[in-house]
Amino acid sequence: PLDQLRDIHRMMERTSKFIGLSGLSGVGAGVFALIGALMAHWYLMAGGLDGYGASLRYWPDQPHPWGWSPLTFYILDAGFVLAGALTSGIYFTTRRAHRKGQAIWDALTRRLLLHLAIPLVAGGIFCLAMFYHGYLGIVGPATLIFYGLALVNGSKFTLQDVYYLGICEIVLGCIGVFFIGWGLLLWAIGFGVLHIVYGIM
């Protein structure tokens, strides 16, 4: 009877929560985020800004020694991090699901993605507006806050650890809003270090 109860519990968990997330996908996302943060740090250093005291306003068309405007560079950098994180996430999660004989695309996955997408899309539009108006110092903390809200919103459909990861991202983002010059470092901790720690756990 005890084994039967365990089987029922496992079945109920599989139908109510997406538990196919791979720890390696978190590690992969964290590694790509750290690489992206390092590239942004080099870009700021080359432009005469150390990233830890950058002006609140930094216009997207400001010239840079590398020949790339901030708008071009940050779009490419963000695209690299996003593409790397998504690729590693899809690869490792799909591999884990196949290994365990679980469906990767079902109604539960769609609900999870929808609840993640709402804060992410709203946050993405907000961050693009901040970037457009030259408020670069707000963008890093804002991405942490909206990403954290997305994780909290989607955590009801997946592992409880995702909820705590989301809270940590929100806290880091709120700190970054008050300490503008430390946005890049907090971003690296939030998207890089925390993802790696989460993935290993």
Side-chain angles (χ1 to χ4, degrees):
L2 196 58
D3 289 338
Q4 287 177 336
L5 281 173
R6 287 198 190 100
D7 288 339
I8 291 169
H9 179 267
R10 275 194 293 267
M11 237 184 330
M12 288 175 65
E13 193 174 44
R14 272 200 298 269
T15 55
S16 63
K17 289 185 181 294
F18 180 77
I19 55 175
L21 286 173
S22 167
L24 287 175
S25 65
V27 173
V31 168
F32 278 103
L34 288 177
I35 293 170
L38 189 60
M39 289 192 301
H41 175 71
W42 287 338
Y43 180 84
L44 288 170
M45 290 281 287
L49 292 169
D50 61 8
Y52 304 108
S55 168
L56 179 65
R57 289 180 73 83
Y58 188 47
W59 289 101
D61 58 353
Q62 187 171 333
H64 190 275
W66 287 4
W68 288 349
S69 70
L71 180 62
T72 302
F73 172 79
Y74 285 112
I75 286 175
L76 290 173
D77 194 27
F80 165 78
V81 173
L82 181 63
L86 286 176
T87 302
S88 64
I90 291 169
Y91 172 74
F92 288 118
T93 299
T94 303
R95 190 180 72 166
R96 184 176 191 270
H98 286 321
R99 194 180 297 161
K100 291 183 168 287
Q102 298 171 341
I104 191 68
W105 186 253
D106 55 15
L108 182 60
T109 309
R110 288 191 291 273
R111 283 202 301 273
L112 170 63
L113 292 177
L114 175 64
H115 280 76
L116 287 172
I118 293 169
L120 285 178
V121 170
I125 293 169
F126 177 83
C127 291
L128 284 174
M130 290 294 97
F131 200 98
Y132 175 78
H133 291 294
Y135 292 98
L136 185 59
I138 298 292
V139 174
T143 57
L144 286 166
I145 291 171
F146 281 102
Y147 178 62
L149 289 172
L151 292 179
V152 169
N153 199 40
S155 64
K156 62 178 76 77
F157 299 106
T158 186
L159 304 172
Q160 185 70 10
D161 294 341
V162 173
Y163 174 84
Y164 298 113
L165 177 62
I167 294 296
C168 291
E169 302 284 359
I170 292 169
V171 169
L172 283 174
C174 289
I175 293 170
V177 168
F178 289 98
F179 299 94
I180 298 296
W182 295 92
L184 181 59
L185 178 62
L186 293 172
W187 194 93
I189 293 170
F191 287 105
V193 176
L194 285 184
H195 271 123
I196 292 171
V197 170
Y198 162 78
I200 292 170
M201 287 176 62

